[in-house]
Amino acid sequence: MKKVTEALADWVPPTRPGYDPSLYPHQYAINFLAGTGRTVIPQEIRRRVDRAVMAKPNAKGQQRKRRHSEPFMARLMLNAWLEETGEDEDAVYRALADKYLDAHGITRP
């Protein structure tokens, strides 16, 4: 059995996730909104979209009991917000993705 000092000498710290150009900007933006950035979306829009989703019947025609996944809900909320404000979708996705990269310490090449 290895000693603690030997095990620590061999240990390599886990690396932070690297930048993946295939995820920029859409997936990084949705990851930001689905995580801690969800509070960026105004509460009025979050409630309105949530009520609309829960009021729509499921595939069996019954009232929905569970919500959709967080990324899906974040995308619906962002789309509703963009419709209301009329902002440029690409610019917003890039801004959200950049905020996600900054929050997670990921640098773009």
Side-chain angles (χ1 to χ4, degrees):
M1 176 164 295
K2 283 185 176 181
K3 293 184 179 182
V4 174
T5 53
E6 292 172 354
L8 285 175
D10 296 340
W11 181 76
V12 178
T15 59
R16 289 187 174 190
Y19 174 76
D20 186 356
S22 67
L23 299 179
Y24 185 83
H26 290 90
Q27 190 60 47
Y28 284 137
I30 295 303
N31 288 350
F32 177 72
L33 289 177
T36 57
R38 188 168 191 198
T39 57
V40 171
I41 299 173
Q43 193 168 4
E44 173 191 328
I45 291 175
R46 285 187 285 167
R47 286 184 180 155
R48 184 170 20 131
V49 169
D50 190 49
R51 280 194 311 264
V53 166
M54 294 306 288
K56 185 177 177 187
N58 63 14
K60 295 179 182 178
Q62 301 166 346
Q63 181 167 352
R64 186 174 300 281
K65 295 177 185 164
R66 293 185 302 160
R67 286 170 175 73
H68 294 291
S69 66
E70 287 295 320
F72 184 78
M73 291 298 290
R75 190 176 302 270
L76 290 177
M77 291 174 191
L78 180 60
N79 288 343
W81 197 12
L82 289 173
E83 278 182 21
E84 213 170 271
T85 60
E87 290 181 78
D88 180 36
E89 186 176 345
D90 289 333
V92 169
Y93 271 100
R94 290 184 192 287
L96 290 169
D98 290 340
K99 191 59 77 171
Y100 176 84
L101 295 176
D102 288 345
H104 289 84
I106 302 172
T107 56
R108 280 180 50 189

